[in-house]
């Protein structure tokens, strides 16, 4: 059983960092800390791109910081504990993530971390174990966690990080205190993005990122602009007959297909909303002066929403082979062209899009 080496290994931890939208969660934890009622297990939930990792790194650093012991939960940055964390070698901190080339947290990894929580701490303080992403535990790993949750040891903190709480066993969820990181308001997120990126970003970028500022920031370096241009060009070429579905499907399959599907989902929703509102000249996504020309006739709203459903179904099938993906994109494009060409008013434009002749 005790085959694991106790020597602390350097941990590739996210840097501790609090972001403006973390403040409510921090206030909650500080209150619990001051009242000496920090939970022994926290289920930290929130969408991707909200900095759950950097938040948890801060929480671990604060719980282990020597200055926090009799005061406010904080990171002093100057004590031995803080120095050990900075060096990635704090013996009482165990951050468990999938091993290289693996998707899940294995039973061995999780059991080893849980064992460490049950032992005496190296530095007479807390022992902290973090599992990320917790919804990717194997069933055996989840059972190990369950045992630890049922019999928590004193002075231990287990943090389960997840963007998909429904992927965890209900028995695990119910034994943790839930803590949520919420998305900031659009105005707050835009202000933060502008400050971090040093430039004005388009609201479409935040929409594309699902309101998650860190995800938006990762795309603010021109990636979103490039995607936007590429998508608009492909759609224009398809509609004008300058490209056929086979070419476009092959191109999309090879490069950033998931991003393209997210973009298409938002664009179709925007088209449908615009159709409902009857203001055909204003498609809000992707917005800007360069957006696609609005259709010159009323669109079939329910057909557009069925394309949204098809887009989401396609997104769920990306684990298939390249050829299968390409064919699925092709048939999606043919359906899109049919929707855009069909008109409930019966009017029709010249230059019908070219479908593949095969
Ligand atoms: Zn410290």
């Amino acid at each position: 059983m005790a085959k694991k080496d106790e020597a602390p290994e350097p941990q590739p931890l996210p840097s501790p960092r609090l972001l403006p939208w973390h403040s409510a969660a921090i206030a909650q934890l500080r209150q619990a800390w001051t009242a000496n009622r920090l939970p022994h297990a926290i289920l930290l939930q929130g969408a991707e791109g909200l900095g759950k990792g950097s938040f948890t790194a801060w929480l671990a650093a604060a719980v282990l910081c020597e200055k926090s012991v009799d005061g406010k939960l904080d990171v002093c940055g100057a004590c031995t504990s803080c120095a050990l964390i900075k060096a990635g070698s704090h013996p009482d901190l165990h951050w468990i993530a999938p091993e290289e080339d693996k998707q899940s947290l294995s039973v061995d990894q999780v059991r080893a971390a849980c064992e460490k929580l049950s032992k005496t701490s190296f530095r007479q303080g807390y022992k902290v174990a973090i599992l990320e992403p917790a919804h990717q535990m194997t069933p055996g790993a989840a059972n190990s966690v369950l045992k630890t949750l049922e019999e928590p040891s004193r002075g231990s903190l287990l943090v389960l990080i997840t963007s998909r709480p429904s992927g965890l066993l209900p028995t695990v969820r119910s034994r943790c205190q839930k803590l949520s990181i919420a998305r900031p308001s659009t105005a707050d997120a835009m202000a933060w993005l502008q400050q971090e990126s040093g430039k004005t970003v388009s609201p479409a970028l935040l929409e594309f990122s699902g309101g998650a500022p860190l995800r938006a920031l990762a795309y603010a370096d021109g990636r979103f602009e490039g995607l936007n241009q590429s998508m608009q060009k492909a759609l224009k070429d398809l509609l004008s007959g300058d490209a056929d579905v086979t070419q476009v499907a092959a191109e999309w399959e090879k490069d950033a297909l998931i991003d393209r599907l997210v973009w298409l989902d938002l664009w179709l929703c925007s088209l449908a909303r615009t159709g409902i509102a009857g203001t055909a000249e204003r498609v809000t996504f992707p917005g800007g002066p360069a957006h696609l020309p609005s259709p010159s006739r009323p669109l079939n709203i329910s057909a557009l929403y069925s394309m949204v459903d098809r887009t989401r179904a396609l997104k769920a099938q990306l684990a298939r082979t390249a050829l299968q993906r390409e064919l699925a994109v092709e048939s999606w494009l043919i359906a899109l062209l049919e929707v855009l060409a069909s008109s409930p008013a019966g009017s029709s434009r010249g230059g019908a899009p070219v479908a593949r002749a095969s």
Side-chain angles (χ1 to χ4, degrees), residues 21 46-51 183-184 186 189-190 192-193 201-221 223-225 227 258-259 261-263 265-266 285 315:
W21 54 93
E48 297 290 346
L50 294 177
R183 288 180 181 83
T186 301
M190 293 294 288
W192 182 84
L193 272 172
V201 296
S202 87
L205 168 59
L206 189 64
E207 200 180 345
F208 172 77
S209 311
L214 292 177
R215 183 170 146 79
L217 187 62
Y219 281 81
D221 61 352
R223 246 168 101 195
F224 180 67
E225 226 166 281
L227 174 72
I258 184 81
D259 287 348
L261 293 176
V262 172
W263 192 98
D265 187 327
L266 292 166
F285 186 91
K315 242 191 284 179

Side-chain angles (χ1 to χ4, degrees), residues 240-323:
S240 65
D242 287 344
D244 66 29
V245 292
T246 313
Q247 282 171 297
V248 173
E251 189 190 318
W252 287 4
E253 194 285 316
K254 270 201 268 323
D255 182 31
L257 181 54
I258 184 81
D259 287 348
R260 293 177 189 280
L261 293 176
V262 172
W263 192 98
L264 288 163
D265 187 327
L266 292 166
W267 175 65
L268 287 166
C269 287
S270 169
L271 268 185
R273 280 197 306 268
T274 310
I276 291 168
T279 50
E281 75 283 359
R282 272 196 335 115
V283 178
T284 54
F285 186 91
H291 71 68
L292 283 164
S294 299
S296 55
R297 60 198 177 309
L299 286 163
N300 183 334
I301 310 285
S302 67
L304 280 174
Y305 277 122
S306 75
M307 281 311 296
V308 172
D309 290 341
R310 281 192 70 157
T311 312
R312 291 173 190 176
L314 194 55
K315 242 191 284 179
Q317 294 169 6
L318 292 184
R320 303 192 299 179
T321 66
L323 180 64

Side-chain angles (χ1 to χ4, degrees), residues 75-108:
V75 177
C76 79
C79 69
T80 311
S81 213
C82 284
L84 285 167
I85 288 200
K86 218 173 277 173
S89 55
H90 198 297
D92 293 315
L93 174 58
H94 313 287
W95 194 298
I96 311 302
E99 284 163 355
E100 223 182 319
D101 301 327
K102 297 258 171 66
Q103 291 279 309
S104 50
L105 303 177
S106 73
V107 62
D108 284 346

